[in-house]
Amino acid sequence: TNSKTSEIKKLITQLADVTKRDNAARELLKFGTDAIPVLIETLQSPSDSLVLPCQHLLARIPSASPQLIHSLQTAHPLVRGRVAEIFSISKDKNAIPALLEALNGEFYTVRSRSAIALGYIGDIQTIPHLLPLLKDKEDEVRISACVALGLFKDPNTFEKIGDVLLDDPKIEVRQAAAKALGDTKHPDAIQYLLEALRDSF
């Protein structure tokens, strides 16, 4: 087992090297379930060139789902946020209950990334859980809530996103609301965008 783990770790370090990445990824996928704990552990790395390939690999291993859900609930906040990003890629519906739970967590990075993951998964039953985040005390969470709700393109949410567009104290959040409404390409969004043309910025 130790030799297998050390082989997996060696392959993971090769993910940071663009010339070796594809081959290392293929080899890691062959390890399947055995690679999952080490890949999750690597999500703590400060190096994006390691974290991003690990996220994409974990998204491609269906059997990783239970361990990722467990990590979303129990791991270090940095890892939880990165696990939520994996669910944005995999669109794994099994993660919905854990992501909904994470929306109420104490760490704003986890709340914001979980919101976006739910937007990408696209189950309309999660919309009522996302709407309260439009009033979250953290700017990043309000921005993510706009992005997530915008992905549903549901006209029933436009008024709430419109309230953010017209009333949020932070310009970055209002910009996110404008982009979310615009990206829906839905005619019902126009009235809110027209009103926002009066914004002093």
Side-chain angles (χ1 to χ4, degrees):
T1 311
N2 286 344
S3 65
K4 197 184 273 188
T5 304
S6 59
E7 177 64 18
I8 290 167
K9 285 182 174 173
K10 186 177 149 198
L11 286 166
I12 287 173
T13 57
Q14 290 176 12
L15 292 172
D17 182 336
V18 182
T19 60
K20 296 178 181 172
R21 181 175 296 164
D22 289 347
N23 186 54
R26 272 193 298 274
E27 292 302 315
L28 283 163
L29 285 172
K30 286 180 193 168
F31 278 103
T33 309
D34 290 327
I36 295 167
V38 194
L39 285 165
I40 291 174
E41 200 180 301
T42 311
L43 296 176
Q44 296 178 58
S45 167
S47 164
D48 280 348
S49 59
L50 264 186
V51 171
L52 290 170
C54 285
Q55 287 177 309
H56 281 274
L57 277 172
L58 284 162
R60 289 173 62 189
I61 306 173
S63 58
S65 188
Q67 290 183 56
L68 288 170
I69 289 167
H70 181 70
S71 296
L72 181 63
Q73 295 166 317
T74 59
H76 184 279
L78 175 70
V79 174
R80 289 189 205 183
R82 288 172 173 175
V83 166
E85 289 172 343
I86 293 167
F87 292 130
S88 290
I89 303 165
S90 67
K91 301 180 176 62
D92 181 0
K93 291 197 166 174
N94 295 316
I96 290 175
L99 288 164
L100 288 174
E101 194 184 314
L103 294 183
N104 302 310
E106 60 179 306
F107 304 106
Y108 74 90
T109 50
V110 182
R111 292 202 301 277
S112 67
R113 286 164 196 180
S114 297
I116 289 176
L118 287 164
Y120 277 111
I121 292 169
D123 184 332
I124 56 167
Q125 292 179 52
T126 61
I127 289 176
H129 300 275
L130 290 165
L131 289 169
L133 297 187
L134 293 171
K135 295 181 175 172
D136 195 277
K137 64 181 189 293
E138 296 289 345
D139 305 348
E140 188 180 318
V141 179
R142 299 199 302 282
I143 287 170
S144 295
C146 290
V147 172
L149 288 163
L151 290 167
F152 287 95
K153 302 180 177 5
D154 179 356
N156 295 319
T157 64
F158 291 177
E159 188 178 347
K160 297 279 192 215
I161 303 171
D163 290 343
V164 175
L165 171 64
L166 301 171
D167 299 329
D168 198 276
K170 287 291 176 75
I171 183 170
E172 294 83 1
V173 183
R174 299 201 300 280
Q175 285 172 332
K179 187 174 187 322
L181 286 167
D183 286 349
T184 66
K185 297 184 169 58
H186 197 294
D188 290 359
I190 293 172
Q191 57 179 316
Y192 303 104
L193 295 165
L194 283 173
E195 207 169 326
L197 290 176
R198 300 189 187 127
D199 192 303
S200 59
F201 290 92

